[in-house]
Amino acid sequence: MPSSTDGLRPADPDAGTSLGVPVSPGSGLLRPLGLAEVRIVGGFWGERQHVNGAATIAHIEYWLEREGWLGNFDAAVQGRLPGARRGREFSDSEVYKLLEAMAWEIGRTGDEAIQGRYDAIVARVAAAQEVDGYLHTNFGRPGQAPRYSDLEWGHELYCFGHLIQAAVARLRTRGDHLLVQVARRAADHVCRVFGEGGIESVCGHAEVEPALVELARATGERRYLEQARLFVERRGHHVLGDIEFGRAYFQDDVPVREAEVLRGHAVRAMYFASGAVDVAAETGDDELRDAVRGQFAATLARRTYLTGGMGSRHQDEAFGEDFVLPPDRAYSETCAAIGSVMLAWRLLLADADPAWADVIERALFNVVATSPAPDGRSFYYANTLHQRELAGVPEPDVVSARAASSLRAPWFTVSCCPTNVARTFAGLGAYVATVDDAGLQLHQYAPVRIRTRLPDGREVAVDVETDYPRSGTVRVRAAGPERQRWVLTLRVPAWAQGADVVSGGTRHAARPGAFRLEVDLAPGEEVLLELGVGPRFVWPDPRIDAVRGCVAVQRGPEVFCLESADLPDGVDVSQFRVDPAVAPTERDGRVRVRGTIGTQPDADWPYAARPWGVGEHSAPVEVPLVAYHDWANRGPSTMRVWLPTDAPTQA
Amino acid sequence: MPSSTDGLRPADPDAGTSLGVPVSPGSGLLRPLGLAEVRIVGGFWGERQHVNGAATIAHIEYWLEREGWLGNFDAAVQGRLPGARRGREFSDSEVYKLLEAMAWEIGRTGDEAIQGRYDAIVARVAAAQEVDGYLHTNFGRPGQAPRYSDLEWGHELYCFGHLIQAAVARLRTRGDHLLVQVARRAADHVCRVFGEGGIESVCGHAEVEPALVELARATGERRYLEQARLFVERRGHHVLGDIEFGRAYFQDDVPVREAEVLRGHAVRAMYFASGAVDVAAETGDDELRDAVRGQFAATLARRTYLTGGMGSRHQDEAFGEDFVLPPDRAYSETCAAIGSVMLAWRLLLADADPAWADVIERALFNVVATSPAPDGRSFYYANTLHQRELAGVPEPDVVSARAASSLRAPWFTVSCCPTNVARTFAGLGAYVATVDDAGLQLHQYAPVRIRTRLPDGREVAVDVETDYPRSGTVRVRAAGPERQRWVLTLRVPAWAQGADVVSGGTRHAARPGAFRLEVDLAPGEEVLLELGVGPRFVWPDPRIDAVRGCVAVQRGPEVFCLESADLPDGVDVSQFRVDPAVAPTERDGRVRVRGTIGTQPDADWPYAARPWGVGEHSAPVEVPLVAYHDWANRGPSTMRVWLPTDAPTQA
């Protein structure tokens, strides 16, 4: 299965498309593996994949029916639009993301019960497609706004993008299907209407760009790639109207090649950047890829939360300026973190730089895993790093405002995050490992079963055993009938507090980055990776004004937080001051920090002519922290990731 | 001119209504003085009143014509609505606020040129009133939404409120007028439609409540008061629909008597609270006034910026939770500060507590005075306390998005602030002093001429001379033909660094609060107040996470800030660390602080496993600060009010 380095890979269903690969670039240093090649068999992510398949997908189906967003397609067929239409203008996309999640889930598990439900939904969607390929329940019919009359906010091409991604997921798992035909007709329509000589504009919300490139890859049809290229190059030239938030909101302020950092609406920025890298990969446009890489690097250096969350503004769901990262109004939308995984994965495939896998790991453990409740039936949309007040528990049967809920909610008026989590979790196995001509690269650590072959035919068959991230011990065991003779590349995360690799009785000290090891393992033999995952303090760049004088705690890839549920009755997280001179410890399975609990006397005016004293402060106490992704699982609680260290002296 | 302690004061044009009193409660410890009794004759506020009358009022007229918001009334008369309508649903209110500003300006100056323009505008407004008194250009005509079909967002009663306030301003200065008749018809319509048995709801944006009470006071018509009371009591009982921001947005979450703090949209909260205090004053409802007083006190203690600014959220222009006061996303809308002046003034009249005058002073000097440029032709809508990036200069002839501009802009899509500043500045003299049975109270210090009489007929005639706040010296000189024999009460601000009162050769040390002095001054004799206004550091309550480890500088009532315009070329405000051990000084007319200028090395990831070092830091330097209300008057600049004190050690 050669990884061609230029042009589109041929659309050969035996050559990768049926292996369940979400992103399949025609160039790049690493070849992605599909769900048929990498199977997560348990652990942190295995449990989440299980809940996703067993609960979340059905939960989404329930809400899409209940809210009428699926019914919009029926209403279109029955001529009941616009009167009967429900939901926001982009509600079609949630149906498509559900279909994408189902396709990966079917590919991952072969679940035939899901297949039947999938077919039924596809039939309803397909029936609403118009003869020229256009398919959207909110535009173009009598009484509705005309097609493409509101590119700034209409989300038509955004919805097509998710339709196409759903079709690619189907093509890459079980092959052709009615949905694939629907998506191709829609894509052909887009090429006709927005191609050379057509509407010289783009969609306010990027998404069709990466989707069209992936469809080109999956079908071998270069015109989809060309259309994506046009969209990528057009944006930034003020092709959209100005809006209250400015054109940076939809990245139409500066051409992609000239921008220096990601900006505006964080999800849009991530999807667009992903599409640009996709175009660059297929056109050999290193300048374009380098531009986006630089923007993402600047964004990580100056506009990203400790959790990997992006977007500090509620108002426009946007990045703030450099170092504007307030924990208590962190927006950090779940979908933006998923977008950062998309973008980092594309750069990892292109560059083989393990730093991109660090980015993915951070966002997955600390934002994407934070969104769903353990039962997979409620979600965070925004992921604050500081909850000051006890929140009301959202009703289990009520739609929540987008980001108002500070406990996980079952569904939102804008409900992009649950469906995005579902499609990401279902396809998660594909982000664990890659191959190149020399061997296997392990990017994420989870119990997985990997079965593939290198381009020269050598078998790669290993089982990875670990209870990462609880433990930093990862065993890579030869699991095929053949000797495993190739180069194993292990990611040593930048956060690792020491790393050793043990192979054939030899222990190697490994530094952060890529650790390469020639292996020659008989069946059952193993390589052992030991990562230091002990708890540690993390200090913020002094330019992040909002967390000056605070530290946070991480353990392995996980960010921890202090929750009021772990404090004595009546004590709030705001009362705790951590002692940064005493390193965090771990005991009885809990990460703990030392500090004092105090009470700040109230004042009529919170600004004084002398430094403030503190009231009674306790003797030093030890308090347990909780992994951030597990917060608010014990009912309403206050919470903070950043813990003040200052122990003000009495004035 | 007795100040009755219950019931409405009779509508006697000789008994105060023609004296130019904006707020005239029927009860309370202090009696307000009108523009005819207190005249600002120069100084800080005199200059601003002059610019307001000479430039701002005409500037507003120009933009109201240009944007068609005045033309909407003509279009209504000519049957060209809804097609020809321009501006947001509340644009009528800007016309009314202009009329209010003009009325006070005419009352203040007798400017007949303004009177002609005023009459012309009133004629256009009056022509659009419908036969039943309803008057709004955005509702109720064929093709428009029905009247009161969108109480949450429609702003109909809000607009009526400003119409009524404009009429009161006319009644209280020159007396009856076409506008007064229009406003009374509108108020009568409101009473019919929303009275007992009518629509059991309120307007999403409070404003009609204080307006109706004031109209009742100005006309003696108790039904307007009763309608206001109904509106005040209804709100909080979920009479409005739920919205994305929650019912707290328009204070419909909790009844006014049960709330513990102001919350939601800050301007709405302030206007509503003012209306509640007005109702309480006329109905003797101490419980209601006490409830609002407690909410305001809690808001000042926990939800107010150092500048007196209120509202920390851009998204919903709302208060954040307690102690959520980020300087870099401070919304601090100009109108919210004006609302806080309205509320504090009502409580000051009721309680005679000089702390309310401190609140007024803080908001006036640091928010209201910050909004307009020196030429009175551009304005801040939001008043950030931290500008991180050099902003583009808004075009002089372009409408700005509401709060996007970080330099003052000539007009906004939502342009409530310029008109609010204009009406406030025009009537500012009324907030300087009051009388009671015993004598005169001076609440604000400015060069003023006060001429009135006490209830027992004693003359109060003083001239106040001062260049406050530059100097803390205030001279109160007997200026009438009679001996001035009454009790002079001087406010000693809570911030004062020492205060002395010199009278008859005796020097009295005065503590913050109300300093009462029996005076007996022959014409020309004076009392001298000397307030310590030297620059000083201010430390924030440790619960304000966003400014931990920072100090600010105040001088007298003024907040100061560091602007990049005062730093060497290429140095940004983010590079300065202040030394809090060296008190700020004043030299050559500038306030100065000592500190170092450094460079923070860039990093790939802004969170590290050890405390961050700093790069090269300069030897201690002295940098000048600028009064916050004067920032951005020298072109694009970065700025911060809160200066980090920490000098991180090299890691």
Side-chain angles (χ1 to χ4, degrees), chain B residues 291-491:
Chain B
V292 175
R293 186 196 290 110
Q295 293 158 27
F296 195 30
T299 304
L300 290 163
R302 297 159 177 259
R303 299 187 171 190
T304 304
Y305 284 101
L306 178 63
T307 54
M310 294 183 175
S312 57
R313 296 185 174 182
H314 277 243
Q315 186 183 29
D316 46 0
E317 308 186 291
F319 290 104
E321 294 93 357
D322 287 350
F323 302 112
V324 180
L325 295 162
D328 48 6
R329 282 292 273 177
Y331 197 65
S332 181
E333 183 180 338
T334 303
C335 290
I338 290 172
S340 79
V341 171
M342 289 165 52
L343 178 55
W345 179 246
R346 283 156 172 80
L347 291 168
L348 178 61
L349 293 180
D351 298 353
D353 182 344
W356 300 124
D358 283 2
V359 170
I360 291 169
E361 176 179 74
R362 182 190 298 132
L364 285 177
F365 274 108
N366 298 302
V367 186
V368 187
T370 305
S371 175
D375 71 358
R377 298 178 201 272
S378 62
F379 303 84
Y380 280 122
Y381 186 117
N383 294 277
T384 188
L385 276 72
H386 185 173
Q387 179 70 30
R388 291 172 181 271
E389 297 185 351
L390 295 179
V393 184
E395 299 285 332
D397 214 33
V398 168
V399 177
S400 284
R402 179 160 56 194
S405 66
S406 42
L407 284 180
R408 297 174 180 91
W411 200 249
F412 303 91
T413 50
V414 177
S415 215
C416 45
C417 297
T419 51
N420 227 347
V421 168
R423 70 178 184 135
T424 303
F425 278 2
L428 201 63
Y431 298 90
V432 170
T434 56
V435 292
D436 61 10
D437 289 349
L440 176 75
Q441 300 82 42
L442 276 181
H443 304 293
Q444 304 300 330
Y445 297 116
V448 290
R449 186 172 181 280
I450 299 175
R451 299 291 184 274
T452 187
R453 287 195 180 272
L454 300 184
D456 61 11
R458 280 176 288 169
E459 179 190 70
V460 175
V462 297
D463 290 344
V464 178
E465 289 178 11
T466 180
D467 62 348
Y468 188 90
R470 171 131 297 282
S471 144
T473 300
V474 180
R475 294 172 188 279
V476 184
R477 180 174 305 129
E482 304 174 16
R483 280 190 84 85
Q484 302 295 312
R485 280 188 174 144
W486 32 261
V487 176
L488 173 64
T489 304
L490 297 167
R491 175 178 63 102

Side-chain angles (χ1 to χ4, degrees), chain B residues 535-548:
Chain B
R536 62 196 187 277
F537 283 126
V538 182
W539 276 262
D541 189 308
R543 289 170 291 191
I544 306 176
D545 288 288
V547 293
R548 176 170 287 109

